[in-house]
Amino acid sequence: MLKQIEGSRAVAEAVALCRPDVICAYPISPQTHIVEGLGEMVKAGAIAPCEFINVESEFAAMSVAIGASAAGARSYTATASQGLLFMVEAVYNASGLGLPIVMTVANRAIGAPINIWNDHSDAVSQRDSGWLQLFAETNQEAADLHIQAFRIAEELSLPVMVCMDGFILTHAYERVDLPTQEMVDAFLPPYAPRQVLDPGEPVTIGTMVGPEAFTEVRYLAHEKQRQALELMPAVAAEFRAAFGRDSGGLVRGYRLDDAETVVIAMGSVLGTLKDTVDELRDAGVNIGVLGVVSFRPFPSAAVRAALQSVRRLVVLEKYFALGSGGVLAADVQMALGKNGGEIYSVIAGLGGRPITKKSLRGLLEMAVRDELVQLTFLDLDRTLVAKQLARERQTRRSGPAAESILRDVHGTMARNEGKKS
Amino acid sequence: MSFQPVKFYQTGTFTVGNRLLAPEQRSVQAATSRRNSLNSGHRACQGCGEALGARYAIDAAMEATGNRMVVVNATGCLEVFSTPYPETSWQIPWIHSLFGNAPAVATGVAAALKVKRLKGLLGDVRVVAQGGDGGTTDIGFGCLSGMFERNDDVFYICYDNGGYMNTGVQRSSATPPAARTATTEAVGPTPGHAFGQGKFVPAIAMAHDIPYVATATVADLRDLEYKVRKAMTFRGARYLHILVPCPLGWGAASKDTLRIARLAKETGVFPVFEAESGELTGSSKIRHVLPVEEYLRPQKRFAHLFGPKPDVAAIARLQALANRNIRKYRLLDEEAL
Ligand SMILES: Cc1ncc(C[n+]2csc(CCOP(=O)(O)OP(=O)(O)O)c2C)c(N)n1
Ligand code: SF4
Ligand SMILES: [Mg+2]
């Protein structure tokens, strides 16, 4: 059914359609509307039987989900940013134990400095946690990915993170087509766990493993991720057949035919990128976009296949590894090997900074002329940075950096205001 | 209370001879139907109070639930010594997740079992969570309090050996004052653990007004089993705190585990009581009050109190704490007072 609906609400309704048994809730922006929506539905009896548990922390949220999943319940939670970091030990534990929990991450920056706005720092920090990580481009895809996520998770006995951009998607009202219960029931069978705590057949779960088998256990976890690479396109195809739309899969190309330059990105920025690429195509530039849906496992072969005759790549990501550089860029580079052509790594949209079409156009025009440096920070205010660096050189007790920069920013703004009036 | 009105104690002990009791009064441990939930072959030290306490408690819970239960275990000695896979000592569905999350994992298990019951997929299956004092009173305390506060249907057992034993005997918030641990060494002007620190989680559990809170020691099997059985008659959050001497960490002889546990009770160092909905409902009375020295002396962790120059002041402070327990938890018969 078509609805004009908030992204969070769409996800809550999609999760409800998956008939979760246990939902753990803890508030953090920009995820909170999702669990609020689900809580209301459970309280009203719209999802039943279902246990909605208001836990005391995200660490408990993931731990409750672990217990519930191990006891054979379809388990769900949602978080973001500091909340994801607060549960990290349990995040790794859930995948290590092979428990098919589904979790929404409403992507948000990580502090300090504390920042509630969107980037991908939270999810990408968990790239090695053993969870599958899917990034939604639109609210429609966010809703659809949850339905697919339970299928994939339960088939592989692995947890899945569905990542959607905080505020940009979670708080945006747009049209979403939500399927009927019958359609979802036909697509998603009841949870049949591979391992379960059952007095009828007692098992021991979560023992210590030493050097004699740890490598093999980890290798198997890696092999599972490889299996996911095969399963995800199959599930997406089945989804298309059942629901009549393209959602999910590994990667999605846009205007890749004869493209010499390709921009690679994840999440909602793909929309702006496509618009920008349309404009550049109109201006005669051979350029396309490759959206990565599955960040983990990283679909190296699919990326390679999509970029066969491309001369240069611009990898645009809302995260970077401090002291190193782009993370998606490194994955792409690994996937392409020596024959990959030029790869420009671009960091953009940190802590909610808007990624505008104007900035993107300027950036891509430079890329096409091969004028980009290896690592670009889009719209970085170099004057501000230089000022702070100078301050630190001059004064030992230069004070807290974030606060100094804010003072500079607002001081400048105030002066500009003054000039205007 | 659990005490038998019978007087058939074996000579020199407080143990009631099973032979003298009717079959239905005998302990679970003495029954042929005992499950051996924690089976032999595990790797605990000789005389480990925690191994003993866990076997007593889990067997009793199994009996109370007709073997329909799941156990969640925190990281710690009990978890490590019981599951050197491919060997496992557990004859029950058992899961270990992390050090600090056993109460929350148990909440999840309970929620799942409830949903399955409502769906008609499963009968009634109960949940027991367990951990050491470090896992319970320190790192898992947030999850424990959350589980209590929501009154989740979980029976939580803390095996208190007064320290982080699995990592080599470090101080926890359940380490008693003056005790030597690897992080409260018996050196300097105030050797051993500081006075005025630590917390007594049974009292905090009571402050949550949960249906049932009790303490026990491994020395009194019948009382321990009674409390487990009683806990399983309630729904909601329940807490049992069992004192389990650790020969390795306490520097005590393996053969003295029960003796020391009994001395902890008989000196008032460890109050044995039960409470319902936040109210004290009964305490195990001390038969013959003994001075705390009797409890302290056999343990090397307190050896610095008894050198050539005994630390009279510290011993007096420990005695004062025991006396306070005796008053607060009414550990003496009114008549004896
Ligand atoms: C998050 C985390 N921190 C620290 C540890 C290391 N650790 C494992 S067991 C343990 C001590 C357990 O103490 P306690 O809970 O009292 O159980 P005991 O071994 O004394 O029975 C510690 C510190 C861990 N496994 N996880
Ligand atoms: S160190 Fe203590 S608690 Fe651990 S197994 Fe040995 S006796 Fe038991
Ligand atoms: Mg301990």
Side-chain angles (χ1 to χ4, degrees):
Chain A
M1 188 171 67
L2 285 178
K3 286 186 177 176
Q4 187 72 16
I5 190 173
E6 194 198 32
S8 298
R9 181 75 198 184
V11 166
E13 292 192 10
V15 169
L17 287 167
C18 296
R19 299 185 186 277
D21 297 313
V22 176
I23 296 168
C24 321
Y26 196 81
I28 185 168
S29 298
Q31 158 279 138
T32 314
H33 289 180
I34 300 174
V35 289
E36 284 174 358
L38 284 164
E40 190 192 335
M41 286 184 252
V42 174
K43 197 116 207 281
I47 319 174
C50 176
E51 288 290 289
F52 181 84
I53 302 170
N54 283 300
V55 288
E56 74 282 355
S57 74
E58 287 87 355
F59 178 65
M62 185 45 61
S63 301
V64 169
I66 285 169
S69 186
R74 184 170 285 164
S75 309
Y76 171 82
T77 190
T79 192
S81 181
Q82 314 300 133
L84 183 61
L85 292 201
F86 201 79
M87 63 164 73
V88 166
E89 196 193 11
V91 167
Y92 275 71
N93 192 251
S95 64
L97 292 175
L99 298 171
I101 298 159
V102 171
M103 171 163 68
T104 312
V105 175
N107 299 109
R108 163 181 155 181
I110 286 172
I114 190 164
N115 172 303
I116 65 164
W117 308 105
N118 167 247
D119 68 31
H120 290 169
S121 303
D122 48 8
V124 177
S125 81
Q126 296 308 297
R127 68 181 191 268
D128 305 329
S129 66
W131 283 58
L132 308 185
Q133 295 185 310
L134 312 179
F135 278 78
E137 181 180 334
T138 60
N139 281 342
Q140 181 67 62
E141 187 166 49
D144 294 346
L145 280 180
H146 282 86
I147 299 167
Q148 296 188 29
F150 281 107
R151 255 293 287 277
I152 295 163
E154 290 169 13
E155 219 149 300
L156 295 169
S157 211
L158 272 189
V160 178
M161 226 177 261
V162 180
C163 306
M164 65 191 293
D165 284 316
F167 295 109
I168 299 171
L169 293 182
T170 53
H171 288 55
Y173 280 76
E174 55 184 26
R175 202 177 68 163
V176 177
D177 188 359
L178 285 164
T180 62
Q181 187 65 63
E182 294 69 43
M183 288 166 83
V184 176
D185 286 348
F187 181 80
L188 179 65
Y191 176 33
R194 281 180 185 271
Q195 51 175 349
V196 64
L197 295 164
D198 173 7
E201 223 177 293
V203 286
T204 295
I205 301 176
T207 61
M208 191 173 251
V209 174
E212 73 279 15
F214 201 77
T215 306
E216 285 68 24
V217 171
R218 294 321 270 170
Y219 179 83
L220 264 180
H222 184 62
E223 168 63 22
K224 273 284 186 70
Q225 298 263 330
R226 217 194 45 70
Q227 290 174 11
L229 287 174
E230 286 165 19
L231 180 63
M232 284 185 325
V235 169
E238 215 184 297
F239 187 89
R240 189 193 313 110
F243 300 83
R245 345 174 241 288
D246 274 319
S247 275
L250 300 174
V251 295
R252 212 170 309 118
Y254 181 76
R255 302 193 84 166
L256 286 182
D257 295 339
D258 68 302
E260 289 181 351
T261 307
V262 170
V263 200
I264 304 182
M266 307 192 292
S268 64
V269 74
L270 286 165
T272 325
L273 273 172
K274 286 177 190 172
D275 286 352
T276 315
V277 159
D278 283 344
E279 285 181 14
L280 288 167
R281 279 273 180 181
D282 290 346
V285 183
N286 285 348
I287 188 165
V289 182
L290 186 70
V292 174
V293 183
S294 168
F295 176 56
R296 285 293 178 274
F298 191 72
S300 300
V303 167
R304 231 176 0 253
L307 301 175
Q308 250 155 15
S309 52
V310 174
R311 277 188 39 200
R312 68 180 75 74
L313 293 167
V314 178
V315 184
L316 183 126
E317 50 193 309
K318 294 180 174 182
Y319 173 78
F320 74 109
L322 294 162
S324 173
V327 173
L328 183 60
D331 283 338
V332 168
Q333 192 134 36
M334 277 282 279
L336 298 182
K338 280 190 285 233
N339 324 317
E342 201 64 52
I343 297 185
Y344 299 114
S345 176
V346 179
I347 313 305
L350 298 185
R353 177 159 302 181
I355 304 179
T356 62
K357 213 159 66 175
K358 184 164 166 251
S359 294
L360 284 178
R361 178 149 187 170
L363 175 90
L364 296 180
E365 282 169 349
M366 277 178 78
V368 169
R369 294 194 300 267
D370 285 315
E371 287 172 9
L372 277 187
V373 290
Q374 277 297 307
L375 180 62
T376 302
F377 288 82
L378 189 68
D379 296 338
L380 173 72
D381 188 336
R382 291 199 174 274
T383 323
L384 269 182
V385 174
K387 207 164 167 183
Q388 174 63 11
L389 286 174
R391 192 157 35 221
E392 285 171 15
R393 269 194 303 274
Q394 279 156 16
T395 327
R396 171 73 210 163
R397 188 156 180 174
S398 51
E403 286 69 11
S404 299
I405 288 187
L406 277 180
R407 215 177 302 118
D408 289 341
V409 170
H410 292 293
T412 315
M413 276 162 57
R415 269 198 304 284
N416 289 347
E417 294 289 310
K419 269 182 217 148
K420 262 185 248 159
S421 56
Chain B
M1 277 301 290
S2 53
F3 288 112
Q4 307 294 325
V6 285
K7 299 282 191 289
F8 306 128
Y9 299 112
Q10 288 172 359
T11 319
T13 80
F14 294 126
T15 313
V16 179
N18 258 310
R19 286 180 299 112
L20 305 176
L21 292 174
E24 67 279 4
Q25 286 179 304
R26 292 179 189 177
S27 66
V28 176
Q29 287 301 312
T32 50
S33 61
R34 163 180 117 187
R35 285 293 292 204
N36 281 331
S37 310
L38 177 66
N39 220 340
S40 59
H42 59 70
R43 298 181 185 179
C45 307
Q46 200 176 35
C48 173
E50 188 164 275
L52 204 56
R55 181 155 63 82
Y56 289 176
I58 300 300
D59 276 348
M62 283 290 271
E63 200 219 33
T65 59
N67 304 328
R68 309 272 300 158
M69 61 177 237
V70 171
V71 169
V72 178
N73 212 128
T75 312
C77 266
L78 176 59
E79 166 261 328
V80 171
F81 72 60
S82 64
T83 58
Y85 223 67
E87 292 122 42
T88 177
S89 284
W90 297 104
Q91 309 298 305
I92 46 174
W94 180 95
I95 185 169
H96 159 249
S97 172
L98 295 168
F99 188 22
N101 71 354
V105 173
T107 290
V109 173
L113 295 174
K114 181 177 171 193
V115 170
K116 282 178 147 183
R117 194 171 64 240
L118 291 173
K119 285 182 176 176
L121 299 172
L122 201 69
D124 196 14
V125 178
R126 311 296 302 274
V127 186
V128 177
Q130 54 184 359
D133 51 290
T136 306
T137 74
D138 287 338
I139 200 167
F141 191 64
C143 286
L144 185 74
S145 178
M147 185 272 280
F148 284 167
E149 162 276 312
R150 291 185 302 268
N151 199 23
D152 295 330
D153 192 15
V154 172
F155 177 38
Y156 191 99
I157 304 170
C158 170
Y159 302 103
D160 177 6
N161 52 22
Y164 293 104
M165 299 319 179
N166 186 54
T167 37
V169 197
Q170 293 83 20
R171 176 259 189 214
S172 80
S173 65
T175 300
R180 173 212 6 100
T181 70
T183 50
T184 56
E185 287 290 356
V187 294
T190 55
H193 188 224
F195 280 83
Q197 296 186 3
K199 56 183 155 186
F200 188 54
V201 168
I204 305 175
M206 283 170 66
H208 288 74
D209 287 351
I210 56 176
Y212 188 67
V213 173
T215 66
T217 79
V218 277
D220 196 339
L221 168 65
R222 210 171 296 280
D223 176 65
L224 192 160
E225 288 188 348
Y226 152 82
K227 282 167 179 168
V228 171
R229 220 175 296 127
K230 177 132 183 215
M232 297 320 277
T233 64
F234 292 89
R235 291 282 164 175
R238 292 139 289 148
Y239 182 72
L240 177 61
H241 191 104
I242 308 177
L243 185 76
V244 290
C246 162
L248 184 97
W250 295 14
S254 297
K255 67 174 171 51
D256 280 343
T257 297
L258 297 191
R259 185 167 78 92
I260 290 174
R262 189 175 307 120
L263 286 168
K265 186 206 151 203
E266 293 294 307
T267 52
V269 164
F270 185 81
V272 178
F273 62 89
E274 59 181 341
E276 289 176 36
S277 303
E279 309 259 353
L280 195 69
T281 50
S283 24
S284 297
K285 305 298 176 195
I286 297 175
R287 287 200 175 84
H288 313 290
V289 193
L290 295 168
V292 289
E293 283 97 324
E294 299 276 323
Y295 168 72
L296 303 172
R297 224 182 264 278
Q299 305 178 46
K300 287 207 188 74
R301 64 176 174 159
F302 295 114
H304 53 278
L305 301 179
F306 297 101
K309 249 196 332 164
D311 191 340
V312 186
I315 296 171
R317 288 182 84 175
L318 289 165
Q319 184 64 58
L321 290 172
N323 293 347
R324 196 186 66 162
N325 279 341
I326 291 173
R327 274 197 313 277
K328 192 168 169 184
Y329 296 100
R330 298 182 216 128
L331 301 181
L332 286 180
D333 263 333
E334 305 301 317
E335 289 162 39
L337 276 174

